[in-house]
Amino acid sequence: MTTQAVPFTLPALPYADTALEPVMSAKTFSFHYAKHHKAYVDNLNNLVKDNAELASMSLEALVKKVALDSTKAGVFNNAAQVWNHTFFWHSMRPGGGGAPTGRMLEKINASFGDYEKFKTAFSDAAKTQFGSGWAWLVEDGGKLAVQKTANAETPMTAGKKCLLTIDVWEHAYYLDFQNRRPDYITAFLDKLVNWEFAERNLG
Ligand code: MN3
């Protein structure tokens, strides 16, 4: 019996699991990355193992394809969550946070008025996503916009260019902030957000 390599893998974190302390603890990463994110990868591999077409696609192409197919909701949920989490880890960096500079700041000012107005819009989206989901900074038709999505949904499937995201599922913040989602969102914006990543995503 030959063992087939699993098609999808858990990408390495872009920093050590202690690198975002004290805002996001290694304990949070031990669950959120090592258990939740890994489980999405394992579930996805299990769901596509008998489907050569899906198993051979890039993750992004797979997410876009099954988003349109209600019979593939399980594949979509797991594939999108693999993509969303990898994108989320890169949306943060040690010593991050605060206002962007250069081209990102120009884009923020042109689209929201100023950084404070962006911050309010992003925080409001993240706070008001009822239940599990995500808040995003996206580029849509040359303009930046904030949006929120439920569960595994991602603006990428609607052809929008994702620049940044924050995970607002409870598992993202409960160990470090308990029920204080607004404090987690403020800490993300002030201490973690990775504007260099957002600018690279602008292309
Ligand atoms: Mn999560």
Side-chain angles (χ1 to χ4, degrees):
M1 182 179 153
T2 55
T3 307
Q4 195 184 341
V6 291
F8 297 102
T9 55
L10 179 67
L13 285 172
Y15 34 69
D17 66 359
T18 53
L20 305 186
E21 291 190 332
V23 183
M24 192 172 285
S25 64
K27 190 170 183 189
T28 285
F29 279 102
S30 76
F31 285 93
H32 199 185
Y33 170 72
K35 295 197 191 302
H36 289 277
H37 195 179
K38 181 178 186 300
Y40 295 126
V41 175
D42 292 345
N43 291 342
L44 175 60
N45 282 322
N46 200 38
L47 286 166
V48 302
K49 68 179 189 302
D50 297 321
N51 188 322
E53 187 200 357
L54 297 182
S56 67
M57 296 179 88
S58 73
L59 181 62
E60 195 160 316
L62 172 62
V63 168
K64 287 178 177 166
K65 181 180 172 67
V66 297
L68 306 169
D69 183 350
S70 62
T71 69
K72 296 278 192 300
V75 177
F76 173 78
N77 284 335
N78 285 284
Q81 284 293 75
V82 174
W83 192 90
N84 291 346
H85 281 86
T86 302
F87 196 84
F88 174 53
W89 308 136
H90 284 87
S91 294
M92 303 181 287
R93 69 171 179 85
T101 55
R103 190 158 69 106
M104 264 325 295
L105 184 60
E106 287 167 23
K107 289 285 245 182
I108 291 277
N109 289 344
S111 300
F112 297 95
D114 59 34
Y115 176 70
E116 286 304 315
K117 291 197 180 74
F118 154 76
K119 208 173 149 178
T120 300
F122 188 87
S123 300
D124 285 350
K127 281 179 205 164
T128 61
Q129 171 51 41
F130 187 75
S132 296
W134 302 80
W136 303 82
L137 176 65
V138 301
E139 186 188 52
D140 187 18
K143 208 169 183 301
L144 304 193
V146 161
Q147 74 172 96
K148 53 190 175 180
T149 60
N151 301 318
E153 286 166 23
T154 167
M156 184 252 281
T157 59
K160 295 175 187 173
K161 195 183 277 182
C162 297
L163 305 182
L164 285 175
T165 194
I166 181 172
D167 186 342
V168 295
W169 287 55
E170 254 183 17
H171 68 219
Y173 58 88
Y174 213 83
L175 291 175
D176 295 318
F177 293 89
Q178 293 75 53
N179 60 323
R180 293 176 285 116
R181 191 195 285 193
D183 291 351
Y184 158 65
I185 296 162
T186 299
F188 173 89
L189 285 168
D190 290 347
K191 295 175 179 165
L192 298 180
V193 73
N194 183 351
W195 287 112
E196 291 78 10
F197 177 65
E199 184 163 341
R200 283 200 298 278
N201 291 325
L202 269 180

